[in-house]
Amino acid sequence: MTGRDLRVGVVGAGIMGADHVRRISARTAGATVASVIEPDGDRAARVAAGAPGAQPRARVEDALERDDLDALIIASPGPFHEEAVLRALEAQVEILCEKPLTPTSDGSRRLVDAEVAGDRPRIQVGFMRRFDREYVALRQLVESRQAGELLLLHCAHRNPSTPPGYTESMLITDSVVHELDIVPWLAGSPVVSVEVLRTRRNRFAPQGVSEPQLVLLELANGVLAEIEISVNLGFGYQVTTEAVFEQGVAQMGRTAGLTVWSAGYAAVAEHPGYVSRFVEAYDLEVQAWVDAARQGRIGGPSAWDGYLAALASEAGVEAQRSGRRVAVRAEEKPSFYA
Ligand code: ISE
């Protein structure tokens, strides 16, 4: 593409869609929001009003036909991703698709196959943690071997509350899917098995959901990662990792925001949710995507990464159901993604 701004359609005007519209309008160089695509017309109009010149549209096809789009950010709920990504591939526009790429590995595989049949990778998946400074620094520490080999990861993923309609498998498909991407990325080795254990149930969990849970990942290089997923802790949003090396330990995500000590009282102000906790990572992610898209490339995790996370996530849901350790078997990565 030449010098003009990337004309972006944002699909979905929920929390993430609205956040991306604000980000592109206010903080991203080289991109303009041209359409907000959302079946709820009032909501589409409200979110589009925040981006000068953006058209509210009900369907992806309408926006692709009428708004001269170069790119789509897909931030609708996961079950709608496959259809929207296929339309975008057909129209040969650049794509940033929020996680999960699709809820099932079959869906992700279909997207990989559709993309591989084309000229080049166009799908970037919104695993924004890969743009978080602390994760990047931890990965560099692992790669440098400064503290020796990585042996073990203790991860915690804590949300304040669950939305209506929350089901137990969403612990894996909606939340732990981030660790299913970031853990192999940090450790430089794929997930080979997943196991899930339930601890004593939080009484604040919705009916039919037993949480917290402990998810144990085994990687091909022998590293184990243990993930606590808790989603009704009330106090705020927290994502932490402690990495144990042969010669040391590193911690990240420990304290975000303000720490207060006063007589007889100590408090740490945590983030209310992922939008503020990962604001910088989202900004860097979208800027990297825009910069790469303007040169006909992707600038982050690919559809293949999305497929691998979907495979591991499916194994996680099966492990949750069966109480057994479930193997994850991926085929060889196509050279298209080299
Ligand atoms: C949410 O959908 C996200 O993607 C957040 O990053 C994650 O931490 C949270 O658990 C999910 O519900």
mmCIF file of all heavy atoms in Angstrom, residues 109-155:
data_model
loop_
_atom_site.group_PDB
_atom_site.id
_atom_site.type_symbol
_atom_site.label_atom_id
_atom_site.label_comp_id
_atom_site.label_asym_id
_atom_site.label_seq_id
_atom_site.Cartn_x
_atom_site.Cartn_y
_atom_site.Cartn_z
ATOM 1 N N ARG A 109 -8.520 -24.500 11.771
ATOM 2 C CA ARG A 109 -7.837 -25.216 10.680
ATOM 3 C C ARG A 109 -8.415 -24.783 9.322
ATOM 4 O O ARG A 109 -7.688 -24.608 8.349
ATOM 5 C CB ARG A 109 -8.004 -26.729 10.903
ATOM 6 C CG ARG A 109 -7.284 -27.612 9.930
ATOM 7 C CD ARG A 109 -5.790 -27.585 10.154
ATOM 8 N NE ARG A 109 -5.082 -27.412 8.908
ATOM 9 C CZ ARG A 109 -3.805 -27.711 8.719
ATOM 10 N NH1 ARG A 109 -3.071 -28.180 9.697
ATOM 11 N NH2 ARG A 109 -3.232 -27.511 7.566
ATOM 12 N N ARG A 110 -9.749 -24.598 9.300
ATOM 13 C CA ARG A 110 -10.362 -24.149 8.036
ATOM 14 C C ARG A 110 -9.825 -22.772 7.647
ATOM 15 O O ARG A 110 -9.561 -22.501 6.475
ATOM 16 C CB ARG A 110 -11.897 -24.099 8.158
ATOM 17 C CG ARG A 110 -12.554 -25.466 8.099
ATOM 18 C CD ARG A 110 -14.066 -25.351 7.919
ATOM 19 N NE ARG A 110 -14.745 -24.866 9.105
ATOM 20 C CZ ARG A 110 -15.164 -25.635 10.121
ATOM 21 N NH1 ARG A 110 -14.983 -26.941 10.076
ATOM 22 N NH2 ARG A 110 -15.765 -25.104 11.173
ATOM 23 N N LEU A 111 -9.606 -21.916 8.655
ATOM 24 C CA LEU A 111 -9.076 -20.574 8.346
ATOM 25 C C LEU A 111 -7.634 -20.657 7.875
ATOM 26 O O LEU A 111 -7.230 -19.956 6.942
ATOM 27 C CB LEU A 111 -9.195 -19.661 9.567
ATOM 28 C CG LEU A 111 -10.632 -19.310 9.955
ATOM 29 C CD1 LEU A 111 -10.652 -18.335 11.125
ATOM 30 C CD2 LEU A 111 -11.381 -18.714 8.766
ATOM 31 N N VAL A 112 -6.841 -21.531 8.522
ATOM 32 C CA VAL A 112 -5.451 -21.722 8.076
ATOM 33 C C VAL A 112 -5.459 -22.187 6.620
ATOM 34 O O VAL A 112 -4.741 -21.650 5.770
ATOM 35 C CB VAL A 112 -4.730 -22.756 8.984
ATOM 36 C CG1 VAL A 112 -3.472 -23.293 8.323
ATOM 37 C CG2 VAL A 112 -4.399 -22.138 10.342
ATOM 38 N N ASP A 113 -6.306 -23.186 6.300
ATOM 39 C CA ASP A 113 -6.343 -23.718 4.928
ATOM 40 C C ASP A 113 -6.759 -22.643 3.926
ATOM 41 O O ASP A 113 -6.172 -22.536 2.848
ATOM 42 C CB ASP A 113 -7.299 -24.923 4.837
ATOM 43 C CG ASP A 113 -6.758 -26.124 5.607
ATOM 44 O OD1 ASP A 113 -5.547 -26.127 5.935
ATOM 45 O OD2 ASP A 113 -7.543 -27.040 5.906
ATOM 46 N N ALA A 114 -7.752 -21.835 4.314
ATOM 47 C CA ALA A 114 -8.211 -20.767 3.404
ATOM 48 C C ALA A 114 -7.093 -19.751 3.203
ATOM 49 O O ALA A 114 -6.879 -19.254 2.084
ATOM 50 C CB ALA A 114 -9.449 -20.083 3.969
ATOM 51 N N GLU A 115 -6.356 -19.451 4.267
ATOM 52 C CA GLU A 115 -5.284 -18.455 4.143
ATOM 53 C C GLU A 115 -4.119 -18.994 3.309
ATOM 54 O O GLU A 115 -3.582 -18.295 2.433
ATOM 55 C CB GLU A 115 -4.781 -18.055 5.536
ATOM 56 C CG GLU A 115 -3.821 -16.890 5.500
ATOM 57 C CD GLU A 115 -3.309 -16.497 6.874
ATOM 58 O OE1 GLU A 115 -2.966 -17.381 7.675
ATOM 59 O OE2 GLU A 115 -3.230 -15.293 7.141
ATOM 60 N N VAL A 116 -3.773 -20.272 3.541
ATOM 61 C CA VAL A 116 -2.651 -20.882 2.816
ATOM 62 C C VAL A 116 -2.950 -20.970 1.308
ATOM 63 O O VAL A 116 -2.038 -20.913 0.486
ATOM 64 C CB VAL A 116 -2.311 -22.270 3.433
ATOM 65 C CG1 VAL A 116 -1.375 -23.061 2.549
ATOM 66 C CG2 VAL A 116 -1.701 -22.098 4.821
ATOM 67 N N ALA A 117 -4.251 -21.054 0.962
ATOM 68 C CA ALA A 117 -4.613 -21.089 -0.467
ATOM 69 C C ALA A 117 -4.411 -19.722 -1.120
ATOM 70 O O ALA A 117 -4.461 -19.600 -2.347
ATOM 71 C CB ALA A 117 -6.074 -21.527 -0.614
ATOM 72 N N GLY A 118 -4.181 -18.692 -0.337
ATOM 73 C CA GLY A 118 -3.987 -17.340 -0.878
ATOM 74 C C GLY A 118 -2.511 -17.017 -1.076
ATOM 75 O O GLY A 118 -1.652 -17.905 -1.058
ATOM 76 N N ASP A 119 -2.241 -15.730 -1.274
ATOM 77 C CA ASP A 119 -0.878 -15.340 -1.654
ATOM 78 C C ASP A 119 0.079 -15.198 -0.481
ATOM 79 O O ASP A 119 1.283 -15.428 -0.603
ATOM 80 C CB ASP A 119 -0.923 -14.041 -2.483
ATOM 81 C CG ASP A 119 -1.685 -12.916 -1.778
ATOM 82 O OD1 ASP A 119 -2.376 -13.195 -0.760
ATOM 83 O OD2 ASP A 119 -1.586 -11.762 -2.231
ATOM 84 N N ARG A 120 -0.433 -14.797 0.716
ATOM 85 C CA ARG A 120 0.475 -14.527 1.840
ATOM 86 C C ARG A 120 -0.333 -14.466 3.134
ATOM 87 O O ARG A 120 -1.559 -14.295 3.084
ATOM 88 C CB ARG A 120 1.206 -13.205 1.627
ATOM 89 C CG ARG A 120 0.265 -12.028 1.521
ATOM 90 C CD ARG A 120 1.019 -10.718 1.440
ATOM 91 N NE ARG A 120 0.137 -9.602 1.133
ATOM 92 C CZ ARG A 120 -0.612 -8.970 2.017
ATOM 93 N NH1 ARG A 120 -0.628 -9.354 3.290
ATOM 94 N NH2 ARG A 120 -1.375 -7.957 1.647
ATOM 95 N N PRO A 121 0.333 -14.550 4.315
ATOM 96 C CA PRO A 121 -0.411 -14.426 5.575
ATOM 97 C C PRO A 121 -1.054 -13.048 5.710
ATOM 98 O O PRO A 121 -0.418 -12.041 5.434
ATOM 99 C CB PRO A 121 0.669 -14.628 6.653
ATOM 100 C CG PRO A 121 1.758 -15.385 5.976
ATOM 101 C CD PRO A 121 1.752 -14.911 4.547
ATOM 102 N N ARG A 122 -2.327 -13.045 6.080
ATOM 103 C CA ARG A 122 -3.049 -11.791 6.302
ATOM 104 C C ARG A 122 -3.699 -11.751 7.672
ATOM 105 O O ARG A 122 -4.254 -10.737 8.079
ATOM 106 C CB ARG A 122 -4.185 -11.652 5.279
ATOM 107 C CG ARG A 122 -3.724 -11.359 3.893
ATOM 108 C CD ARG A 122 -4.898 -11.411 2.926
ATOM 109 N NE ARG A 122 -4.393 -11.367 1.568
ATOM 110 C CZ ARG A 122 -4.154 -10.237 0.910
ATOM 111 N NH1 ARG A 122 -4.403 -9.080 1.465
ATOM 112 N NH2 ARG A 122 -3.675 -10.273 -0.305
ATOM 113 N N ILE A 123 -3.716 -12.910 8.388
ATOM 114 C CA ILE A 123 -4.437 -12.979 9.663
ATOM 115 C C ILE A 123 -3.447 -12.849 10.817
ATOM 116 O O ILE A 123 -2.536 -13.672 10.959
ATOM 117 C CB ILE A 123 -5.165 -14.334 9.823
ATOM 118 C CG1 ILE A 123 -6.039 -14.637 8.611
ATOM 119 C CG2 ILE A 123 -5.956 -14.372 11.119
ATOM 120 C CD1 ILE A 123 -6.612 -16.071 8.605
ATOM 121 N N GLN A 124 -3.650 -11.819 11.644
ATOM 122 C CA GLN A 124 -2.908 -11.724 12.906
ATOM 123 C C GLN A 124 -3.911 -11.985 14.028
ATOM 124 O O GLN A 124 -5.050 -11.516 13.959
ATOM 125 C CB GLN A 124 -2.287 -10.329 13.044
ATOM 126 C CG GLN A 124 -1.471 -10.165 14.323
ATOM 127 C CD GLN A 124 -0.686 -8.858 14.363
ATOM 128 O OE1 GLN A 124 -0.210 -8.387 13.330
ATOM 129 N NE2 GLN A 124 -0.542 -8.284 15.547
ATOM 130 N N VAL A 125 -3.498 -12.751 15.047
ATOM 131 C CA VAL A 125 -4.425 -13.082 16.138
ATOM 132 C C VAL A 125 -4.106 -12.206 17.355
ATOM 133 O O VAL A 125 -2.936 -11.971 17.671
ATOM 134 C CB VAL A 125 -4.352 -14.586 16.485
ATOM 135 C CG1 VAL A 125 -5.309 -14.926 17.629
ATOM 136 C CG2 VAL A 125 -4.716 -15.423 15.258
ATOM 137 N N GLY A 126 -5.143 -11.744 18.033
ATOM 138 C CA GLY A 126 -4.984 -10.758 19.114
ATOM 139 C C GLY A 126 -4.514 -11.332 20.441
ATOM 140 O O GLY A 126 -5.135 -11.080 21.475
ATOM 141 N N PHE A 127 -3.414 -12.067 20.421
ATOM 142 C CA PHE A 127 -2.797 -12.476 21.685
ATOM 143 C C PHE A 127 -1.886 -11.329 22.123
ATOM 144 O O PHE A 127 -0.680 -11.339 21.891
ATOM 145 C CB PHE A 127 -2.015 -13.778 21.503
ATOM 146 C CG PHE A 127 -2.896 -14.993 21.367
ATOM 147 C CD1 PHE A 127 -2.754 -15.851 20.288
ATOM 148 C CD2 PHE A 127 -3.850 -15.297 22.333
ATOM 149 C CE1 PHE A 127 -3.562 -16.974 20.161
ATOM 150 C CE2 PHE A 127 -4.664 -16.422 22.214
ATOM 151 C CZ PHE A 127 -4.510 -17.262 21.121
ATOM 152 N N MET A 128 -2.488 -10.329 22.791
ATOM 153 C CA MET A 128 -1.778 -9.065 23.055
ATOM 154 C C MET A 128 -0.673 -9.206 24.085
ATOM 155 O O MET A 128 0.205 -8.346 24.174
ATOM 156 C CB MET A 128 -2.774 -7.973 23.478
ATOM 157 C CG MET A 128 -3.253 -8.033 24.905
ATOM 158 S SD MET A 128 -4.125 -9.579 25.265
ATOM 159 C CE MET A 128 -4.650 -9.299 26.940
ATOM 160 N N ARG A 129 -0.715 -10.303 24.873
ATOM 161 C CA ARG A 129 0.334 -10.426 25.897
ATOM 162 C C ARG A 129 1.734 -10.459 25.278
ATOM 163 O O ARG A 129 2.696 -10.098 25.926
ATOM 164 C CB ARG A 129 0.118 -11.687 26.721
ATOM 165 C CG ARG A 129 -1.099 -11.613 27.617
ATOM 166 C CD ARG A 129 -1.123 -12.810 28.522
ATOM 167 N NE ARG A 129 -2.347 -12.873 29.294
ATOM 168 C CZ ARG A 129 -2.585 -13.795 30.197
ATOM 169 N NH1 ARG A 129 -1.693 -14.740 30.433
ATOM 170 N NH2 ARG A 129 -3.713 -13.791 30.858
ATOM 171 N N ARG A 130 1.821 -10.902 24.001
ATOM 172 C CA ARG A 130 3.136 -10.945 23.352
ATOM 173 C C ARG A 130 3.717 -9.543 23.175
ATOM 174 O O ARG A 130 4.878 -9.403 22.819
ATOM 175 C CB ARG A 130 3.039 -11.619 21.985
ATOM 176 C CG ARG A 130 2.671 -13.083 22.050
ATOM 177 C CD ARG A 130 2.886 -13.684 20.696
ATOM 178 N NE ARG A 130 2.402 -15.045 20.580
ATOM 179 C CZ ARG A 130 2.775 -15.882 19.622
ATOM 180 N NH1 ARG A 130 3.629 -15.482 18.690
ATOM 181 N NH2 ARG A 130 2.300 -17.100 19.561
ATOM 182 N N PHE A 131 2.906 -8.506 23.407
ATOM 183 C CA PHE A 131 3.385 -7.123 23.281
ATOM 184 C C PHE A 131 3.567 -6.465 24.640
ATOM 185 O O PHE A 131 3.904 -5.295 24.713
ATOM 186 C CB PHE A 131 2.403 -6.313 22.422
ATOM 187 C CG PHE A 131 2.354 -6.806 20.999
ATOM 188 C CD1 PHE A 131 1.512 -7.848 20.634
ATOM 189 C CD2 PHE A 131 3.198 -6.267 20.038
ATOM 190 C CE1 PHE A 131 1.477 -8.334 19.334
ATOM 191 C CE2 PHE A 131 3.177 -6.735 18.734
ATOM 192 C CZ PHE A 131 2.321 -7.770 18.383
ATOM 193 N N ASP A 132 3.311 -7.194 25.728
ATOM 194 C CA ASP A 132 3.458 -6.645 27.081
ATOM 195 C C ASP A 132 4.939 -6.625 27.457
ATOM 196 O O ASP A 132 5.627 -7.641 27.310
ATOM 197 C CB ASP A 132 2.658 -7.529 28.054
ATOM 198 C CG ASP A 132 2.798 -7.096 29.491
ATOM 199 O OD1 ASP A 132 2.192 -6.075 29.851
ATOM 200 O OD2 ASP A 132 3.521 -7.772 30.252
ATOM 201 N N ARG A 133 5.406 -5.466 27.960
ATOM 202 C CA ARG A 133 6.835 -5.303 28.241
ATOM 203 C C ARG A 133 7.413 -6.394 29.139
ATOM 204 O O ARG A 133 8.519 -6.878 28.931
ATOM 205 C CB ARG A 133 7.085 -3.977 28.962
ATOM 206 C CG ARG A 133 7.231 -2.829 28.046
ATOM 207 C CD ARG A 133 7.369 -1.541 28.820
ATOM 208 N NE ARG A 133 6.854 -0.445 28.014
ATOM 209 C CZ ARG A 133 7.546 0.133 27.028
ATOM 210 N NH1 ARG A 133 8.768 -0.250 26.763
ATOM 211 N NH2 ARG A 133 7.011 1.101 26.322
ATOM 212 N N GLU A 134 6.654 -6.745 30.196
ATOM 213 C CA GLU A 134 7.198 -7.724 31.143
ATOM 214 C C GLU A 134 7.300 -9.121 30.515
ATOM 215 O O GLU A 134 8.258 -9.843 30.748
ATOM 216 C CB GLU A 134 6.344 -7.763 32.401
ATOM 217 C CG GLU A 134 6.546 -6.553 33.290
ATOM 218 C CD GLU A 134 5.759 -6.696 34.566
ATOM 219 O OE1 GLU A 134 4.561 -6.318 34.559
ATOM 220 O OE2 GLU A 134 6.301 -7.202 35.553
ATOM 221 N N TYR A 135 6.289 -9.499 29.729
ATOM 222 C CA TYR A 135 6.383 -10.802 29.043
ATOM 223 C C TYR A 135 7.557 -10.807 28.058
ATOM 224 O O TYR A 135 8.278 -11.795 27.948
ATOM 225 C CB TYR A 135 5.084 -11.111 28.281
ATOM 226 C CG TYR A 135 3.993 -11.742 29.121
ATOM 227 C CD1 TYR A 135 2.781 -11.101 29.314
ATOM 228 C CD2 TYR A 135 4.167 -12.993 29.709
ATOM 229 C CE1 TYR A 135 1.764 -11.677 30.064
ATOM 230 C CE2 TYR A 135 3.162 -13.581 30.460
ATOM 231 C CZ TYR A 135 1.965 -12.912 30.636
ATOM 232 O OH TYR A 135 0.962 -13.490 31.372
ATOM 233 N N VAL A 136 7.727 -9.674 27.356
ATOM 234 C CA VAL A 136 8.821 -9.595 26.384
ATOM 235 C C VAL A 136 10.162 -9.740 27.116
ATOM 236 O O VAL A 136 11.052 -10.492 26.697
ATOM 237 C CB VAL A 136 8.746 -8.268 25.585
ATOM 238 C CG1 VAL A 136 9.992 -8.060 24.744
ATOM 239 C CG2 VAL A 136 7.495 -8.257 24.697
ATOM 240 N N ALA A 137 10.286 -9.048 28.280
ATOM 241 C CA ALA A 137 11.543 -9.108 29.038
ATOM 242 C C ALA A 137 11.775 -10.528 29.572
ATOM 243 O O ALA A 137 12.909 -11.032 29.561
ATOM 244 C CB ALA A 137 11.504 -8.104 30.189
ATOM 245 N N LEU A 138 10.706 -11.175 30.014
ATOM 246 C CA LEU A 138 10.854 -12.536 30.542
ATOM 247 C C LEU A 138 11.296 -13.497 29.427
ATOM 248 O O LEU A 138 12.153 -14.360 29.626
ATOM 249 C CB LEU A 138 9.522 -12.987 31.163
ATOM 250 C CG LEU A 138 9.524 -14.337 31.872
ATOM 251 C CD1 LEU A 138 10.619 -14.421 32.937
ATOM 252 C CD2 LEU A 138 8.155 -14.596 32.523
ATOM 253 N N ARG A 139 10.725 -13.304 28.255
ATOM 254 C CA ARG A 139 11.124 -14.164 27.122
ATOM 255 C C ARG A 139 12.598 -13.955 26.795
ATOM 256 O O ARG A 139 13.334 -14.915 26.519
ATOM 257 C CB ARG A 139 10.255 -13.843 25.913
ATOM 258 C CG ARG A 139 10.496 -14.783 24.740
ATOM 259 C CD ARG A 139 9.534 -14.455 23.644
ATOM 260 N NE ARG A 139 9.468 -15.491 22.638
ATOM 261 C CZ ARG A 139 9.675 -15.268 21.348
ATOM 262 N NH1 ARG A 139 9.994 -14.062 20.927
ATOM 263 N NH2 ARG A 139 9.561 -16.249 20.487
ATOM 264 N N GLN A 140 13.029 -12.684 26.845
ATOM 265 C CA GLN A 140 14.449 -12.408 26.567
ATOM 266 C C GLN A 140 15.335 -13.089 27.606
ATOM 267 O O GLN A 140 16.399 -13.616 27.297
ATOM 268 C CB GLN A 140 14.712 -10.903 26.543
ATOM 269 C CG GLN A 140 14.284 -10.287 25.211
ATOM 270 C CD GLN A 140 14.121 -8.779 25.248
ATOM 271 O OE1 GLN A 140 14.318 -8.153 26.291
ATOM 272 N NE2 GLN A 140 13.732 -8.200 24.131
ATOM 273 N N LEU A 141 14.863 -13.077 28.879
ATOM 274 C CA LEU A 141 15.642 -13.733 29.945
ATOM 275 C C LEU A 141 15.750 -15.241 29.668
ATOM 276 O O LEU A 141 16.803 -15.847 29.835
ATOM 277 C CB LEU A 141 14.966 -13.473 31.298
ATOM 278 C CG LEU A 141 15.684 -13.991 32.532
ATOM 279 C CD1 LEU A 141 17.038 -13.298 32.721
ATOM 280 C CD2 LEU A 141 14.816 -13.764 33.786
ATOM 281 N N VAL A 142 14.642 -15.831 29.238
ATOM 282 C CA VAL A 142 14.662 -17.268 28.925
ATOM 283 C C VAL A 142 15.657 -17.525 27.783
ATOM 284 O O VAL A 142 16.521 -18.402 27.879
ATOM 285 C CB VAL A 142 13.252 -17.765 28.512
ATOM 286 C CG1 VAL A 142 13.299 -19.202 28.006
ATOM 287 C CG2 VAL A 142 12.266 -17.631 29.670
ATOM 288 N N GLU A 143 15.536 -16.715 26.717
ATOM 289 C CA GLU A 143 16.381 -16.958 25.536
ATOM 290 C C GLU A 143 17.855 -16.716 25.833
ATOM 291 O O GLU A 143 18.731 -17.399 25.301
ATOM 292 C CB GLU A 143 15.927 -16.050 24.382
ATOM 293 C CG GLU A 143 14.662 -16.568 23.734
ATOM 294 C CD GLU A 143 14.132 -15.650 22.641
ATOM 295 O OE1 GLU A 143 14.510 -14.459 22.622
ATOM 296 O OE2 GLU A 143 13.338 -16.132 21.822
ATOM 297 N N SER A 144 18.139 -15.739 26.718
ATOM 298 C CA SER A 144 19.543 -15.399 27.011
ATOM 299 C C SER A 144 20.222 -16.481 27.865
ATOM 300 O O SER A 144 21.441 -16.529 27.934
ATOM 301 C CB SER A 144 19.613 -14.069 27.761
ATOM 302 O OG SER A 144 19.151 -14.262 29.092
ATOM 303 N N ARG A 145 19.458 -17.290 28.571
ATOM 304 C CA ARG A 145 19.974 -18.302 29.505
ATOM 305 C C ARG A 145 20.832 -17.683 30.612
ATOM 306 O O ARG A 145 21.647 -18.359 31.232
ATOM 307 C CB ARG A 145 20.760 -19.395 28.772
ATOM 308 C CG ARG A 145 19.886 -20.178 27.813
ATOM 309 C CD ARG A 145 20.571 -21.407 27.251
ATOM 310 N NE ARG A 145 19.619 -22.298 26.641
ATOM 311 C CZ ARG A 145 18.969 -22.066 25.494
ATOM 312 N NH1 ARG A 145 19.179 -20.941 24.849
ATOM 313 N NH2 ARG A 145 18.117 -22.939 25.018
ATOM 314 N N GLN A 146 20.616 -16.389 30.849
ATOM 315 C CA GLN A 146 21.370 -15.679 31.883
ATOM 316 C C GLN A 146 21.177 -16.328 33.256
ATOM 317 O O GLN A 146 22.098 -16.362 34.070
ATOM 318 C CB GLN A 146 20.832 -14.248 31.925
ATOM 319 C CG GLN A 146 21.754 -13.224 32.481
ATOM 320 C CD GLN A 146 21.012 -11.885 32.544
ATOM 321 O OE1 GLN A 146 20.386 -11.470 31.564
ATOM 322 N NE2 GLN A 146 21.058 -11.240 33.684
ATOM 323 N N ALA A 147 19.988 -16.838 33.528
ATOM 324 C CA ALA A 147 19.739 -17.504 34.813
ATOM 325 C C ALA A 147 19.705 -19.029 34.613
ATOM 326 O O ALA A 147 19.132 -19.763 35.408
ATOM 327 C CB ALA A 147 18.420 -17.005 35.397
ATOM 328 N N GLY A 148 20.304 -19.496 33.556
ATOM 329 C CA GLY A 148 20.285 -20.931 33.245
ATOM 330 C C GLY A 148 19.028 -21.294 32.471
ATOM 331 O O GLY A 148 18.316 -20.428 31.968
ATOM 332 N N GLU A 149 18.756 -22.600 32.381
ATOM 333 C CA GLU A 149 17.571 -23.054 31.625
ATOM 334 C C GLU A 149 16.300 -22.787 32.424
ATOM 335 O O GLU A 149 16.297 -22.882 33.657
ATOM 336 C CB GLU A 149 17.663 -24.568 31.355
ATOM 337 C CG GLU A 149 18.800 -24.986 30.439
ATOM 338 C CD GLU A 149 18.632 -24.503 29.000
ATOM 339 O OE1 GLU A 149 17.504 -24.176 28.594
ATOM 340 O OE2 GLU A 149 19.654 -24.436 28.288
ATOM 341 N N LEU A 150 15.213 -22.507 31.701
ATOM 342 C CA LEU A 150 13.901 -22.378 32.348
ATOM 343 C C LEU A 150 13.434 -23.766 32.765
ATOM 344 O O LEU A 150 13.503 -24.725 31.978
ATOM 345 C CB LEU A 150 12.895 -21.776 31.361
ATOM 346 C CG LEU A 150 11.455 -21.703 31.854
ATOM 347 C CD1 LEU A 150 11.316 -20.674 32.983
ATOM 348 C CD2 LEU A 150 10.512 -21.343 30.702
ATOM 349 N N LEU A 151 12.940 -23.888 34.023
ATOM 350 C CA LEU A 151 12.505 -25.199 34.510
ATOM 351 C C LEU A 151 10.987 -25.290 34.685
ATOM 352 O O LEU A 151 10.387 -26.329 34.434
ATOM 353 C CB LEU A 151 13.159 -25.484 35.871
ATOM 354 C CG LEU A 151 14.698 -25.410 35.922
ATOM 355 C CD1 LEU A 151 15.188 -25.646 37.351
ATOM 356 C CD2 LEU A 151 15.321 -26.433 34.964
ATOM 357 N N LEU A 152 10.389 -24.191 35.141
ATOM 358 C CA LEU A 152 9.009 -24.284 35.632
ATOM 359 C C LEU A 152 8.358 -22.897 35.618
ATOM 360 O O LEU A 152 9.031 -21.905 35.891
ATOM 361 C CB LEU A 152 9.113 -24.789 37.071
ATOM 362 C CG LEU A 152 7.895 -24.950 37.955
ATOM 363 C CD1 LEU A 152 6.982 -26.023 37.380
ATOM 364 C CD2 LEU A 152 8.333 -25.379 39.360
ATOM 365 N N LEU A 153 7.052 -22.857 35.320
ATOM 366 C CA LEU A 153 6.320 -21.578 35.383
ATOM 367 C C LEU A 153 5.115 -21.720 36.313
ATOM 368 O O LEU A 153 4.361 -22.696 36.206
ATOM 369 C CB LEU A 153 5.815 -21.175 33.996
ATOM 370 C CG LEU A 153 6.865 -20.809 32.945
ATOM 371 C CD1 LEU A 153 6.247 -20.783 31.544
ATOM 372 C CD2 LEU A 153 7.506 -19.461 33.270
ATOM 373 N N HIS A 154 4.956 -20.752 37.232
ATOM 374 C CA HIS A 154 3.738 -20.662 38.049
ATOM 375 C C HIS A 154 2.976 -19.447 37.532
ATOM 376 O O HIS A 154 3.481 -18.336 37.614
ATOM 377 C CB HIS A 154 4.060 -20.382 39.522
ATOM 378 C CG HIS A 154 4.941 -21.391 40.176
ATOM 379 N ND1 HIS A 154 4.487 -22.622 40.589
ATOM 380 C CD2 HIS A 154 6.249 -21.339 40.513
ATOM 381 C CE1 HIS A 154 5.490 -23.292 41.144
ATOM 382 N NE2 HIS A 154 6.572 -22.543 41.110
ATOM 383 N N CYS A 155 1.787 -19.664 37.018
ATOM 384 C CA CYS A 155 1.031 -18.539 36.464
ATOM 385 C C CYS A 155 -0.282 -18.388 37.235
ATOM 386 O O CYS A 155 -0.880 -19.388 37.652
ATOM 387 C CB CYS A 155 0.659 -18.783 35.003
ATOM 388 S SG CYS A 155 2.040 -19.297 33.961
#
